[in-house]
Amino acid sequence: MKNSTPFRNVLASSALMLGVLSPAHAVVFTYDGYGGFVPGTQQMAPPATATFQGYTLGTGERGQVSWGTPTGAEGPFGGQSGLEINSNNPNLFVGQSISLGQSINFGYLTHYNEPITQAGGDLNSVKVGYYLRIYADSVLVYSMDFTGSNAFGLNVWETSNTQPCPNSAPAGTALSHNGNTHTSNGNPQSTCDDAFSFGPTSGSSQFSYLGHLYDISFAGFFDQSAPGGSFTPGGTFWSSEEGTDRGYVQLRLNQVPEPGTMALLGLSLLGLRIVQQLRRPVSHLPGPSRLA
């Protein structure tokens, strides 16, 4: 075959450029995600109080918080309404594997929505301190502490339960909070549903390892566990009256293509295209006619 050498050279160059896009070996990434409620950060109208309980991190965060004057004794908080981080297990998302391009759970919030009296007071907001650690081949390559001014602000909208609440609102009933609307499908959503949102609802950062750049991002709340689930409008999730519901925060890791590498790859592919054009047969046009 004629002109095969240039063609092979371009193929080899393209393969080399593709190889540059990936690390020399398969990097094993793992992550730790853990945190809790920050005692003393609750916002409530006096004389209402909140009880911080569950596990205690070395930095002081707690795994659970409950509030309100109960009307019964249901649920894990003796009839109070309450919130829980990661099923009250600080190690639930410690040492977990994460693959490039994969959405995984960074953490989740569980609400035990028990009926409480309005006189007992409602929780308006509370801070959540959270910690993220990324390891590559067992080496710590990234850490972020969502604490202090960077702590997640969890906002709570608890509907009044002083009047009997229907088990479910008629289908199509719109419940709104902070501009976020939740439309009842008739079951199990109720006009007494509560809403939760936090800020920031998303974020991203980058780190490098072995000369490669990686992007780490999070978003929430999602209505189902990863992989899957839909991002809830405005980051709000709704908790059904006398029910137990969860909102999930998801994490995603991607490798960032390097501009120089992408440019070289583009040149290689352009060279491959030129060689392909040169290898095509050329149609010979007839010469000029002789004049008599």
Side-chain angles (χ1 to χ4, degrees):
M1 179 185 297
K2 295 182 180 180
N3 297 327
S4 61
T5 300
F7 182 71
R8 290 173 181 170
N9 287 345
V10 172
L11 281 178
S13 177
S14 299
L16 178 61
M17 290 302 103
L18 287 171
V20 172
L21 286 174
S22 302
H25 70 284
V27 180
V28 177
F29 288 102
T30 58
Y31 75 100
D32 296 343
Y34 57 93
F37 302 101
V38 182
T41 62
Q42 70 272 20
Q43 296 293 319
M44 312 180 74
T49 60
T51 302
F52 293 84
Q53 53 198 294
Y55 63 74
T56 303
L57 296 180
T59 45
E61 292 89 352
R62 304 298 301 269
Q64 299 171 322
V65 61
S66 62
W67 64 92
T69 301
T71 59
E74 297 82 3
F77 304 111
Q80 282 191 307
S81 220
L83 292 167
E84 189 174 71
I85 298 285
N86 299 341
S87 297
N88 195 34
N89 181 355
N91 299 315
L92 188 63
F93 296 111
V94 171
Q96 299 297 307
S97 62
I98 180 172
S99 301
L100 295 179
Q102 176 190 20
S103 293
I104 48 87
N105 290 326
F106 181 31
Y108 60 78
L109 184 73
T110 305
H111 181 219
Y112 298 91
N113 193 350
E114 305 300 339
I116 56 177
T117 65
Q118 189 172 23
D122 298 332
L123 178 68
N124 297 321
S125 66
V126 66
K127 294 285 188 181
V128 177
Y130 218 79
Y131 302 85
L132 172 64
R133 304 289 185 265
I134 301 290
Y135 299 86
D137 299 327
S138 300
V139 176
L140 179 64
V141 293
Y142 178 82
S143 64
M144 171 62 77
D145 295 348
F146 297 91
T147 58
S149 60
N150 292 323
F152 293 104
L154 180 65
N155 300 308
V156 183
W157 179 56
E158 184 149 18
T159 53
S160 173
N161 297 335
T162 55
Q163 301 297 324
C165 294
N167 290 330
S168 62
T173 301
L175 304 174
S176 298
H177 176 57
N178 288 344
N180 303 313
T181 300
H182 155 74
T183 302
S184 172
N185 60 9
N187 184 28
Q189 286 81 7
S190 164
T191 54
C192 291
D193 287 358
D194 300 336
F196 296 84
S197 62
F198 75 96
T201 58
S202 63
S204 64
S205 186
Q206 293 182 333
F207 66 90
S208 61
Y209 180 65
L210 296 181
H212 295 275
L213 190 63
Y214 297 89
D215 179 83
I216 187 86
S217 61
F218 72 89
F221 286 109
F222 285 80
D223 59 3
Q224 294 181 31
S225 177
S230 299
F231 182 76
T232 54
T236 298
F237 91 90
W238 295 81
S239 177
S240 56
E241 183 64 19
E242 297 188 59
T244 301
D245 295 274
R246 285 178 178 171
Y248 295 85
V249 180
Q250 296 186 6
L251 195 68
R252 192 175 182 89
L253 178 65
N254 289 299
Q255 184 177 342
V256 179
E258 300 174 19
T261 301
M262 294 304 296
L264 289 173
L265 177 59
L267 289 174
S268 297
L269 295 177
L270 176 61
L272 177 59
R273 177 65 176 171
I274 292 173
V275 169
Q276 289 176 330
Q277 292 288 345
L278 291 175
R279 294 181 67 243
R280 291 182 179 177
V282 179
S283 300
H284 295 284
L285 299 176
S289 303
R290 288 180 175 270
L291 295 176

